[in-house]
Amino acid sequence: MTQRLVVIGNGMAGARTVEEILARNGDFTVTMFGDEPYGNYNRIMLSNLLAGVETEEGIFLNDLAWYSENGITLNAGVKVERIDAKNKTVHDSNGVVTPYDKLIIATGSYSWTPPMKNVHNPKRGYHQGVFAFRTLDDTRGMIRYARDHERAVVIGGGLLGLEAARGLQNHVSHVTLLHAMGHLMERQLDPKAGQMLQASVEGKLGIKVITNAMTTEILGKDRVTGVKLADGTVIECDVVVIAAGIRPNTEMAANSGLPVERGIVVDDQMRVEGQPDIYSVGECAQHRGSLYGLVAPLWDQAKVLADHITGTTDVAYTGSKLSTKLKVAGIDVASMGLIAPEHDTDEVVVYNEPKKGVYKQLIIRDDVLVGAVLVGDNSKAASLIQAFDRGTALPEERAGLIFDIGGPAGEVPPAEMADDAQVCNCNGVSKGAICGAVSAGCKTVSGVMDSTRAGKGCGTCKPLVQRIVEWANGGAAEEDPAASWYVPGVPMPKPELMAAIRKYELKSVSSVFDKLVPGGEHDAKSKMGLASLLKMMWADQYIDERDARFINDRVHGNIQKDGTFSVVPQMKGGVTTPAELKRIAEVAEKYNVPMVKLTGGQRIDLLGVPKEQLPAMWADLDMPSGYAYAKSFRTVKTCVGSDFCRFGVGDSTALGIAIEERYQGLEGPGKMKLAVTGCPRNCAEAYVKDLGVVAIDGGKWEIYVGGAAGAHIRKGDLLVTVDSAEEVIKLTGRFLQYYRENANWLERTYAFVPRIGIDRIREIVIDDADGIASRLDAAVDEAVQSYKDPWKERAEPATPGQFRTSLPLTVLPQVPVRA
Amino acid sequence: MNTLSLTNLGPVTDIPLGEGRTYAVDGDMIAVFRLRNGSLRAVSAVCPHKGGPLADGQIDNSIVVCPLHLFAWDLATGCSQSGQAPISVYPVREDDGQILLGE
Ligand SMILES: Cc1cc2nc3c(=O)[nH]c(=O)nc-3n(C[C@H](O)[C@H](O)[C@H](O)COP(=O)(O)OP(=O)(O)OC[C@H]3O[C@@H](n4cnc5c(N)ncnc54)[C@H](O)[C@@H]3O)c2cc1C
Ligand code: SF4
Ligand code: SF4
Ligand code: FES
C-alpha cells in the first residue's frame, strides 16, 4: 500500500534521500517541507556563486518540475514547527497539519555566531553589514551589500571562512581573515600545513590572515565600521562575514520530544532512537556519536536510509571515514583521517617545500594509511583517498605515494586508472561509469556530467572528469562552447550578436544565418529566439519570415497535446461585460468547444479548437487576441481594488487595464506576466509577477520586479515606490524594455533581475545613472506603436495554407472533455 | 525510402518557404516541407513520440523539430536526433512548379 512519506528539510541530504528512494521505486506519496523558498540547490556551490564563477541557475539541483514529475508535494518556504510522533503528524508554520506514515528529518545546520558584543541588532537580526554564510539568501545579501563597500572581515579560518574570504575578493578590495585558533583549518591540517596554507593565502591571494584573533565586538552604530579583537586591536571594515562553525538544527526535534544530544540520535538504519517511523539524515543526525559536515557521508547515509525504507533488510550505516579534497580559496588542499600520530609506532612521512607552498604528510599504521594532509599539490590525493578508504596495504616505496616517480608529471593518466576508481567523491561516480556514459553516446563533458552527476558536487573533480571523457572519446571531448550563445545556432553572445545585426542591418532571421554563421548553416532551434530579438530591435522594419515563428506564433494560439489550439479573447485586466460573455458563450457553443476554462491569468480559454476553425471563431468573437501564446507580454491580473473592495487604497483595475492596453503583445525574450493589486493584501498576487504593482496608503504605488510563481517561485524585488499611475505605466515600459534588450533568450525576469542585481536595475531604470532612460522610453514607445492585432489576419491569411490542418489521421491523446 | 505511386500534390507555392504542409495521400498523411534552399522533403506527418503534427514543426535545411515536445528528426534520412523511433521518408521532387510525390 502506498505510504505517506514526509520529509522535513529540502537541503542536500533531504532531497538526495528522496532521489535514492525514487530510484528504488519506493511506493510513497512524498511531501517535503523546506524552510528556504526554493527548490533544491547545491549548497557547496554557494562558494562559487560568491566568487562569481557560477550563476544562481547553475547551482539548482532539482527544479520544481522535478518535484511535480515525481509527484512530490513541495512546501517551499514553509517551516515545520512541531512533530507529533504519537499521532504521526507534523505541524507547520502555516498552521497546517500533515499526517505521515514515515518521517525523515533532514534539517541540516545553521551558522553559529560566537558571542560578540553588538553583533545583533534588536530590530533586524544581524547588525547591518554582518552576514552568515549558509544559504542562498545569505549569499545574495552578501553580494548585494559587498558590491557597494570596500573592506571586509571574515571571522573563522576554516574551510568556509577561506571560501568566503576568497569570494569576497571578487566584490571588495580588502579582505582580512580572523581566526581564533593558532593555525588555519586546525581540524583538518596540522600546524605546519596550516601555516603553509596561510602563507599561500597571504602571498598568492593577498588576503590578510590574523590567527589567535578573538573577535569580541562589532563596531558601528547603524552599520558596521569595524571589529575589535580581545587584545584591543581595531580593524576597520564595512562588511563582516561570520563563518565560525555550524550547529545542527535540532531545536524542533528536541521540542517534539525526540532524543537529541549534539544531534538527533539515530541508529545504523538512520532511525531516530526509539522511533520506528522517524528517520534522520544529514548534518542534523548524530550517528554513533559523530556528526558529519561534509556531503560525502550524507550520501552514504541517504543510500542506507533509502534501502532500509524500501524494504531491503540487512543494511547498516557504520560511519564514514572523512576525507576532503578541495580547492580552498584556489589552493589545493586534501586531508583525511588523522592529522597527528597517535601511537609511538605510527610512521610519519613528511615532505615540505615552503618556497613552492607544497606540504605533504602521511601517517601510516601497520602499513595502512590512517591520515594524510596535502597542501599545494593534490596530484596524489585521489589514490591516497582510495588507499585510506579501503585500508589497503601500502607499497614499501613510500615516496611513490606522494610523488610521481619516473612517470609522467601530474595525475594518473585515465588509461592507467582502475575501472572502479572513484572519480567524483561527492556523488560516488567511478571511472567505469563515466566511460559507460561516453560509450552510450554522451560526447560532451557537460552531457556526461548531466547523466552521471560526476562533477556536480563540489566540482573539484571536474578536470579529471574532463580528462576521462576526452580519453574515452579518443581525445576529443569539448565543453559545450554554445553555453554562452544567445541561440544555439549562431556562435555569439547576445551583445555581440546585437552589434553584428546592427552593423550589417540584418532584418530577417534567414539573413542572420546567412551572414553570421560560418558556412551559412540555418538552425531550426534558433529561429524563434532570433525572430524575437530582431522584432525587438527593428520594430516595424523587421522582415517577418513566418517560418521563423513557432507554430503558436504562426496561428496566434497555443498548440495543445492533440494538435488543436486554444482561443483566448483579450479581456484587459480580467474585466469583461455581460455582452462579451454572451458572445464568448455563443461562439463556444457554435463551435462545440470541448472545454471552456478560466486561466491562471484571469482570462477565458476556449480549448481544443482545430486549426482550420480559428479564423472563423475569431471573426465571430470579433475581439482582439488575448496573447495566451508567444514569448510576449501576456496579461495584467488585477484585483477589484478601491472600486469595490473594502480595503482597496488604489484603483488597481483601472491601472491594470491601462498597462495592458499600452503594452499588449509586446514581444520579449520570455513571457511577461504582470499584476496590479489594490492594497498589500495582494489578492492579485502581484509580488510574484514579472512586474507587480501594489497600491499602498497615501496614493502611492510600489513596483516589484523579478517575481515568479510558476515552475520557479520568487518574490519580486521592490524596484521603486511612485506617486501616480502615470509613473507606474512609464516605468513599467522602461523596465520591460531594459529586460527585452538585455535578457538572454528564454531568461525570465526571476533569473534576469537577480543576475543584474536589483540595485543596478534601479540605477539604470529609476536613477538613469547610465543616461539611457529616455532611449528606453522611446524604444518601447516605438514597439507599442507597431502593435497590430494578429487575429485580424483571419480575413487574409499571411501564407498559403496558414490555417490548414496538420493533424494526422491516427487517434491522438485527446484533451479530456468535461461534462 | 517508402514506395508510393507518383502523385501530383499541386503547386509548390502552396507551401511557404521554410514551412511544411500536410497532404492526405492514399489514406496516409504525409508532411511535405519546402526548405529555404528551395528543395522539398516528405516524411510521415505523425510524430512517433506522441503523435504531434510534424508539419507544424520548425525546420532548417536538415531537420524538423516537432512542435509538441521539441524532439528532432533528420528530414533526409528520417533518423531521430533525440533517441526516438525514426520517421518514414518519401521521395519528392519539384517538376514545373508542381510537387511530385513518389516514384
Ligand atoms: C558555503 C558552503 C560551502 C560548502 N562546501 C562544501 C564542500 O566543498 N564539500 C562538502 O562536502 N561540503 C561542503 N559544505 C557543507 C555541505 O553543504 C553540507 O554538509 C550539506 O549541505 C548538508 O546537507 P543537509 O541536507 O544535512 O543540510 P542543508 O543542506 O543545510 O539542508 C537543510 C534544510 O532544511 C531546512 N530546514 C531546517 N529546519 C527546518 C524546518 N523546521 N522545517 C523545514 N525546513 C527546515 C533548512 O532551511 C535547509 O534548507 C559547504 C557548506 C556551505 C554553507
Ligand atoms: S488586494 Fe486589497 S484592494 Fe485588492 S481585492 Fe485584495 S484586499 Fe481588496
Ligand atoms: S497549464 Fe501550465 S501548469 Fe498546467 S499542465 Fe500545462 S504547463 Fe503545467
Ligand atoms: S509528439 Fe512529437 S516530440 Fe512529442
Side-chain angles (χ1 to χ4, degrees):
Chain A
M1 206 196 71
T2 304
Q3 297 200 69
R4 293 165 298 187
L5 174 66
V6 170
V7 182
I8 309 175
N10 184 32
M12 300 195 71
R16 173 57 78 97
T17 306
V18 171
E19 282 178 40
E20 295 281 352
I21 292 173
L22 293 174
R24 288 162 180 70
N25 290 318
D27 188 15
F28 292 103
T29 49
V30 184
T31 305
M32 300 189 75
F33 290 88
D35 207 355
E36 298 180 69
Y38 312 103
N40 165 239
Y41 62 88
N42 190 339
R43 197 174 301 286
I44 297 177
M45 290 293 178
L46 292 178
S47 306
N48 288 355
L49 184 65
L50 181 64
V53 297
E54 187 64 75
T55 61
E56 283 195 13
E57 293 289 272
I59 73 168
F60 276 89
L61 292 170
N62 292 314
D63 56 11
L64 295 175
W66 176 82
Y67 290 91
S68 59
E69 275 159 24
N70 289 295
I72 300 167
T73 310
L74 173 64
N75 297 298
V78 180
K79 188 173 176 162
V80 169
E81 292 190 326
R82 188 166 65 85
I83 299 165
D84 181 345
K86 208 163 117 245
N87 293 310
K88 297 180 92 170
T89 53
V90 301
H91 297 243
D92 67 34
S93 50
N94 294 336
V96 177
V97 179
T98 309
Y100 65 82
D101 298 307
K102 299 278 179 197
L103 177 68
I104 297 176
I105 308 172
T107 47
S109 304
Y110 63 91
S111 170
W112 177 70
T113 311
M116 281 177 275
K117 243 172 89 183
N118 198 26
V119 65
H120 290 288
N121 176 305
K123 282 192 227 114
R124 272 199 302 258
Y126 279 125
H127 198 89
Q128 177 156 352
V130 178
F131 299 89
F133 188 23
R134 177 76 200 171
T135 63
L136 180 54
D137 284 346
D138 291 339
T139 314
R140 281 184 183 163
M142 214 187 298
I143 293 173
R144 205 175 298 154
Y145 194 82
R147 226 189 338 237
D148 306 328
H149 292 87
E150 285 297 301
R151 312 179 74 91
V153 158
V154 175
I155 299 176
L159 166 68
L160 211 56
L162 282 155
E163 295 282 1
R166 171 65 164 162
L168 282 166
Q169 280 194 303
N170 203 37
H171 308 282
V172 300
S173 40
H174 300 276
V175 179
T176 308
L177 181 67
L178 306 178
H179 191 42
M181 301 297 173
H183 67 270
L184 295 178
M185 290 184 76
E186 80 285 350
R187 294 229 241 131
Q188 293 89 7
L189 304 181
D190 63 288
K192 204 85 216 183
Q195 277 146 25
M196 192 71 73
L197 178 61
Q198 175 171 348
S200 294
V201 167
E202 295 194 303
K204 286 193 195 150
L205 306 181
I207 293 170
K208 184 165 183 213
V209 178
I210 308 178
T211 50
N212 294 311
M214 189 69 106
T215 316
T216 52
E217 188 175 346
I218 306 279
L219 305 175
K221 203 159 179 306
D222 298 321
R223 46 172 60 199
V224 173
T225 58
V227 300
K228 194 178 202 172
L229 305 186
D231 64 5
T233 316
V234 168
I235 299 162
E236 283 178 22
C237 64
D238 31 39
V239 183
V240 172
V241 173
I242 302 176
I246 55 171
R247 294 290 181 271
N249 273 320
T250 54
E251 200 184 314
M252 187 269 299
N255 291 342
S256 309
L258 299 178
V260 171
E261 291 170 7
R262 281 193 302 147
I264 302 170
V265 183
V266 297
D267 64 15
D268 286 358
Q269 282 73 41
M270 307 312 293
R271 221 169 359 206
V272 174
E273 209 174 64
Q275 295 289 342
D277 298 312
I278 307 183
Y279 299 81
S280 180
V281 267
E283 284 185 346
C284 59
Q286 174 182 329
H287 173 264
R288 296 194 184 180
S290 296
L291 296 157
Y292 296 96
L294 290 170
V295 293
L298 314 186
W299 295 167
D300 296 338
Q301 296 178 349
K303 283 188 190 142
V304 171
L305 171 43
D307 277 339
H308 177 77
I309 210 169
T310 54
T312 312
T313 46
D314 260 18
V315 282
Y317 174 69
T318 52
S320 299
K321 285 182 148 188
L322 279 189
S323 59
T324 43
K325 178 178 159 227
L326 302 159
K327 256 206 166 18
V328 182
I331 295 159
D332 285 325
V333 174
S335 156
M336 62 210 81
L338 302 181
I339 56 177
E342 286 177 342
H343 305 277
D344 314 342
T345 51
D346 286 349
E347 192 185 329
V348 183
V349 179
V350 183
Y351 175 79
N352 187 2
E353 195 182 352
K355 261 204 171 140
K356 273 199 184 156
V358 174
Y359 175 86
K360 307 182 182 196
Q361 174 191 276
L362 309 183
I363 300 173
I364 301 166
R365 183 178 297 162
D366 303 330
D367 271 347
V368 170
L369 185 67
V370 290
V373 170
L374 307 173
V375 176
D377 174 10
N378 264 359
S379 59
K380 299 300 273 183
S383 56
L384 287 173
I385 289 179
Q386 196 156 342
F388 169 76
D389 275 344
R390 299 184 180 177
T392 42
L394 299 179
E396 285 288 316
E397 182 65 81
R398 308 291 198 227
L401 291 168
I402 43 179
F403 305 108
D404 290 301
I405 298 170
E411 300 202 28
V412 200
E416 284 168 32
M417 290 175 66
D419 237 19
D420 65 344
Q422 184 150 311
V423 176
C424 172
N425 287 323
C426 294
N427 291 311
V429 185
S430 65
K431 172 192 161 191
I434 294 174
C435 295
V438 174
S439 52
C442 272
K443 302 293 180 201
T444 63
V445 176
S446 49
V448 170
M449 286 175 54
D450 283 341
S451 70
T452 61
R453 314 187 66 156
K456 294 229 153 186
C458 63
T460 40
C461 63
K462 240 172 105 173
L464 182 55
V465 175
Q466 168 139 16
R467 280 191 291 127
I468 296 173
V469 173
E470 280 167 4
W471 170 75
N473 260 325
E478 286 250 318
E479 275 275 18
D480 187 4
S484 65
W485 303 347
Y486 177 68
V487 287
V490 186
M492 289 178 190
K494 186 167 183 179
E496 255 175 65
L497 177 62
M498 286 175 69
I501 288 171
R502 249 186 232 110
K503 175 164 166 213
Y504 298 113
E505 304 208 351
L506 305 173
K507 296 184 180 168
S508 72
V509 169
S510 60
S511 69
V512 172
F513 291 127
D514 292 341
K515 184 84 196 173
L516 301 182
V517 181
E521 200 75 54
H522 289 216
D523 176 48
K525 293 178 178 169
S526 303
K527 286 176 159 187
M528 243 183 119
L530 289 175
S532 149
L533 184 69
L534 291 173
K535 179 105 192 266
M536 189 268 291
M537 291 177 68
W538 298 113
D540 50 12
Q541 289 181 54
Y542 164 62
I543 300 170
D544 181 10
E545 293 167 339
R546 289 289 167 135
D547 64 303
R549 301 181 177 200
F550 187 58
I551 185 66
N552 289 359
D553 307 332
R554 274 185 254 158
V555 302
H556 320 297
N558 219 334
I559 192 165
Q560 310 292 324
K561 69 192 269 189
D562 61 353
T564 63
F565 292 83
S566 59
V567 170
V568 180
Q570 189 176 58
M571 200 180 273
K572 289 177 213 153
V575 175
T576 180
T577 62
E580 273 181 357
L581 279 176
K582 246 189 251 164
R583 200 155 1 126
I584 293 171
E586 274 156 13
V587 169
E589 239 171 28
K590 172 169 171 194
Y591 291 88
N592 284 320
V593 169
M595 177 140 84
V596 180
K597 173 113 185 47
L598 299 186
T599 70
Q602 298 178 334
R603 303 303 126 103
I604 293 177
D605 199 352
L606 307 176
L607 286 155
V609 180
K611 199 205 273 175
E612 60 276 21
Q613 282 185 0
L614 292 172
M617 274 183 68
W618 296 340
D620 285 351
L621 281 169
D622 197 24
M623 295 178 193
S625 166
Y627 277 96
Y629 50 91
K631 304 298 168 209
S632 69
F633 182 100
R634 292 291 182 91
T635 50
V636 184
K637 200 170 171 175
T638 64
C639 72
V640 290
S642 57
D643 243 10
F644 280 91
C645 177
R646 287 183 292 148
F647 303 105
V649 295
D651 192 348
S652 49
T653 313
L655 178 53
I657 293 173
I659 294 176
E660 187 163 341
E661 214 146 59
R662 179 159 166 81
Y663 299 115
Q664 58 191 345
L666 198 65
E667 284 174 69
K671 296 181 249 196
M672 293 164 262
K673 297 186 174 179
L674 287 75
V676 184
T677 209
C679 83
R681 281 162 208 260
N682 190 27
C683 294
E685 294 157 357
Y687 294 123
V688 290
K689 293 294 177 184
D690 292 294
L691 185 142
V693 183
V694 181
I696 56 170
D697 230 5
K700 291 181 192 298
W701 299 92
E702 291 178 333
I703 304 180
Y704 289 81
V705 294
H712 191 101
I713 302 174
R714 181 176 194 271
K715 182 179 184 230
D717 297 321
L718 179 63
L719 178 69
V720 66
T721 305
V722 297
D723 296 321
S724 69
E726 289 68 43
E727 274 174 284
V728 173
I729 295 173
K730 180 163 168 192
L731 293 175
T732 296
R734 200 184 288 167
F735 169 78
L736 291 180
Q737 182 64 20
Y738 181 67
Y739 164 70
R740 296 171 78 211
E741 291 182 12
N742 293 284
N744 295 320
W745 175 235
L746 301 184
E747 181 182 37
R748 292 284 300 270
T749 61
Y750 67 72
F752 174 75
V753 169
R755 175 166 70 82
I756 307 289
I758 185 66
D759 298 335
R760 176 77 185 120
I761 291 178
R762 196 177 295 126
E763 256 173 45
I764 295 166
V765 175
I766 309 298
D767 310 335
D768 195 13
D770 290 15
I772 59 166
S774 53
R775 187 186 63 65
L776 291 173
D777 292 345
V780 78
D781 200 55
E782 191 185 355
V784 164
Q785 300 311 325
S786 70
Y787 169 79
K788 281 188 206 75
D789 174 18
W791 282 5
K792 289 268 159 67
E793 252 169 36
R794 62 192 176 234
E796 235 172 90
T799 56
Q802 183 181 9
F803 297 105
R804 196 163 93 200
T805 183
S806 292
L807 280 186
L809 298 173
T810 33
V811 180
L812 289 166
Q814 296 289 314
V815 169
V817 178
R818 278 168 225 257
Chain B
M1 298 248 170
N2 295 49
T3 43
L4 261 180
S5 54
L6 197 64
T7 319
N8 185 341
L9 298 181
V12 282
T13 48
D14 277 356
I15 310 179
L17 266 187
E19 289 191 48
R21 293 288 180 258
T22 306
Y23 294 84
V25 185
D26 293 347
D28 241 347
M29 297 286 278
I30 293 176
V32 181
F33 294 93
R34 189 163 159 227
L35 312 188
R36 275 214 163 257
N37 66 18
S39 58
L40 296 171
R41 296 279 183 276
V43 300
S44 46
V46 189
C47 174
H49 175 231
K50 294 212 168 155
L54 286 180
D56 279 348
Q58 277 188 296
I59 61 164
D60 52 32
N61 290 333
S62 53
I63 62 162
V64 56
V65 182
C66 175
L68 290 196
H69 310 99
L70 311 184
F71 291 133
W73 283 264
D74 190 305
L75 284 169
T77 64
C79 291
S80 162
Q81 292 194 332
S82 39
Q84 302 292 315
I87 52 180
S88 311
V89 180
Y90 303 90
V92 65
R93 64 195 144 93
E94 178 186 340
D95 192 1
D96 198 18
Q98 301 291 304
I99 305 165
L100 296 185
L101 183 77
E103 30 196 13

